[in-house]
């Protein structure tokens, strides 16, 4: 049984006082969540503070991006060593906003994912098609190409340390969610790609999250899908109340999935 993950991506939101407020409210709102892994990914400026607040909690810490080198003359960048040092367990890589606004290629995401695995950080690697790509029926080809480029040179052992997030670009921050069937179709497809490249055992253990306008009222129907192993949540993770509701909906869905 793959353990469900609910990860919150705070993007470029929250000052330190706001981050403290949100984390304290999330902690206060969570009860009995042993069946679900919970992650928050604050902006870099709040990571240290949030790390301290999470020390005595079930919530794990993640970052939203990193450089692939351990250290060096890369002004403005943060390395996997630094993320490990500050207490991160996860790092989001290849988010569509980074691919679109910062021109991140599959090749760059590949280097970052290798850097993360080397430092025992769990990369949450994002893939997903744009609206134009879906409307022209190319979504499977697009995701196949992202997958092949991103995991080039990975071994099955590396792959076992990875989480994938399927995030259709047309559903991110738009209020449009993929239907449970659309999500399941793509998740099953991604799992089949893992199987082709890395074998059945790796494929059946690999967690694939859905991301794109996940909210408390659509969480259960998404997580109830066979190949959906959790959610990467943007907007709805910014408010403690809705994030906690999503976690609670996931806990209920796990019970009914078992
Ligand atoms: C995201 O940022 O990864 C995301 C899925 O955003 P939203 O939930 O706001 O669509």
């Amino acid at each position: 049984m793959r353990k469900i993950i609910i990860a919150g991506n705070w993007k470029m939101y929250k000052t330190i006082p706001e981050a403290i407020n949100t984390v304290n409210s999330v902690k206060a709102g969570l009860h009995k969540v042993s069946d679900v892994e919970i992650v928050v990914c604050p902006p870099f400026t709040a990571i240290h503070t949030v790390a301290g607040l999470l020390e005595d909690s079930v919530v794990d810490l993640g970052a939203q991006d990193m450089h692939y080198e351990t250290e060096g003359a890369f002004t403005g960048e943060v390395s996997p060593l630094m993320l490990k040092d500050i207490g991160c367990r996860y790092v989001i890589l290849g988010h569509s906003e980074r691919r679109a606004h910062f021109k991140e290629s599959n090749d760059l995401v590949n280097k970052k994912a290798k850097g993360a695995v080397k430092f025992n950080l769990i990369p949450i690697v994002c893939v997903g098609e744009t609206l134009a790509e879906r409307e022209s029926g190319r979504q499977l080809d697009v995701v196949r190409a992202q997958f092949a480029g991103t995991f080039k040179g990975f071994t099955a052992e590396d792959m076992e340390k990875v989480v994938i997030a399927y995030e259709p670009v047309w559903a991110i921050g738009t209020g449009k969610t993929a239907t449970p069937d659309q999500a399941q179709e793509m998740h099953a497809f991604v799992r089949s790609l893992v199987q082709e490249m890395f074998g059945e055992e790796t494929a059946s253990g690999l967690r694939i999250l859905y991301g794109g306008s996940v909210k408390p009222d659509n969480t259960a129907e998404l997580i109830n899908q066979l190949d959906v192993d959790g959610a990467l949540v943007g907007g709805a993770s910014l408010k403690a109340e809705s994030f906690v509701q999503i976690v609670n909906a996931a806990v209920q869905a796990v019970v009914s999935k078992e």
Side-chain angles (χ1 to χ4, degrees), residues 7 17 31 33 43 69 74 88 107 120 146 149 171 173 178 196 203 220 225 241:
H31 307 284
V33 286
E69 291 286 359
F74 299 103
C88 287
D107 190 41
N120 277 326
Q146 286 175 336
E196 258 170 47
Q225 301 305 306
E241 195 189 352

Side-chain angles (χ1 to χ4, degrees), residues 185-232:
E185 183 196 26
M186 188 60 89
H187 282 231
F189 177 66
V190 171
R191 203 175 299 289
S192 77
L193 295 175
V194 181
Q195 182 170 348
E196 258 170 47
M197 253 172 99
F198 302 102
E200 161 62 30
E201 207 179 314
T202 308
S204 62
L206 190 127
R207 288 177 295 177
I208 308 172
L209 314 185
Y210 169 81
S213 297
V214 172
K215 300 180 219 72
D217 61 3
N218 60 22
T219 303
E221 60 183 11
L222 288 160
I223 286 179
N224 278 331
Q225 301 305 306
L226 198 60
D227 288 292
V228 177
D229 307 312
L232 180 55

Side-chain angles (χ1 to χ4, degrees), residues 7-11 92 95-97 126 165-169 171-176 210-215 231-238 246:
N9 171 17
W10 289 2
K11 311 194 188 204
I92 299 170
H95 191 281
S96 62
E97 288 155 12
C126 304
Y166 167 57
E167 297 209 312
V169 180
I172 297 180
T174 59
K176 274 189 210 162
Y210 169 81
S213 297
V214 172
K215 300 180 219 72
L232 180 55
V233 187
S237 74
L238 295 173
I246 288 171

Side-chain angles (χ1 to χ4, degrees), residues 2-239:
R2 298 180 292 267
K3 194 166 181 183
I4 296 288
I5 303 177
I6 301 294
N9 171 17
W10 289 2
K11 311 194 188 204
M12 196 172 71
Y13 291 101
K14 295 193 189 293
T15 59
I16 290 176
E18 288 167 347
I20 293 173
N21 250 327
T22 309
V23 170
N24 283 338
S25 304
V26 166
K27 280 167 63 179
L30 291 174
H31 307 284
K32 270 188 70 194
V33 286
S34 57
D35 289 339
V36 173
E37 265 179 63
I38 307 159
V39 186
V40 292
C41 305
F44 288 130
T45 46
I47 285 192
H48 184 62
T49 307
V50 171
L53 295 173
L54 294 184
E55 259 170 25
D56 62 345
S57 92
V58 293
V59 182
D60 276 318
L61 184 65
Q64 300 173 21
D65 184 35
M66 59 168 223
H67 196 278
Y68 52 85
E69 291 286 359
T70 311
E71 60 180 13
F74 299 103
T75 303
E77 293 291 320
V78 169
S79 80
L81 173 69
M82 292 164 181
L83 294 185
K84 231 14 221 187
D85 188 38
I86 211 162
C88 287
R89 181 168 148 81
Y90 289 89
V91 58
I92 299 170
L93 295 176
H95 191 281
S96 62
E97 288 155 12
R98 296 218 56 89
R99 292 178 188 263
H101 304 310
F102 304 99
K103 304 287 169 266
E104 288 201 4
S105 62
N106 291 329
D107 190 41
L108 180 60
V109 180
N110 174 261
K111 289 192 175 110
K112 291 184 177 196
K114 281 182 181 155
V117 166
K118 186 168 149 199
F119 279 90
N120 277 326
L121 278 163
I122 303 170
I124 301 177
V125 178
C126 304
V127 296
E129 79 287 357
T130 63
L131 185 61
E133 288 162 346
R134 178 162 281 267
E135 282 178 349
S136 59
R138 287 183 293 132
Q139 66 272 23
L140 299 185
D141 290 342
V142 168
V143 169
R144 184 199 300 277
Q146 286 175 336
F147 181 89
T150 303
F151 297 113
K152 197 168 155 201
F154 271 59
T155 62
E157 202 188 341
D158 294 333
M159 209 56 199
E160 277 151 26
K161 299 170 186 152
V162 165
V163 170
I164 296 178
Y166 167 57
E167 297 209 312
V169 180
W170 48 270
I172 297 180
T174 59
K176 274 189 210 162
T177 317
T179 64
D181 285 351
Q182 284 172 324
Q184 170 55 26
E185 183 196 26
M186 188 60 89
H187 282 231
F189 177 66
V190 171
R191 203 175 299 289
S192 77
L193 295 175
V194 181
Q195 182 170 348
E196 258 170 47
M197 253 172 99
F198 302 102
E200 161 62 30
E201 207 179 314
T202 308
S204 62
L206 190 127
R207 288 177 295 177
I208 308 172
L209 314 185
Y210 169 81
S213 297
V214 172
K215 300 180 219 72
D217 61 3
N218 60 22
T219 303
E221 60 183 11
L222 288 160
I223 286 179
N224 278 331
Q225 301 305 306
L226 198 60
D227 288 292
V228 177
D229 307 312
L232 180 55
V233 187
S237 74
L238 295 173
K239 287 211 168 78

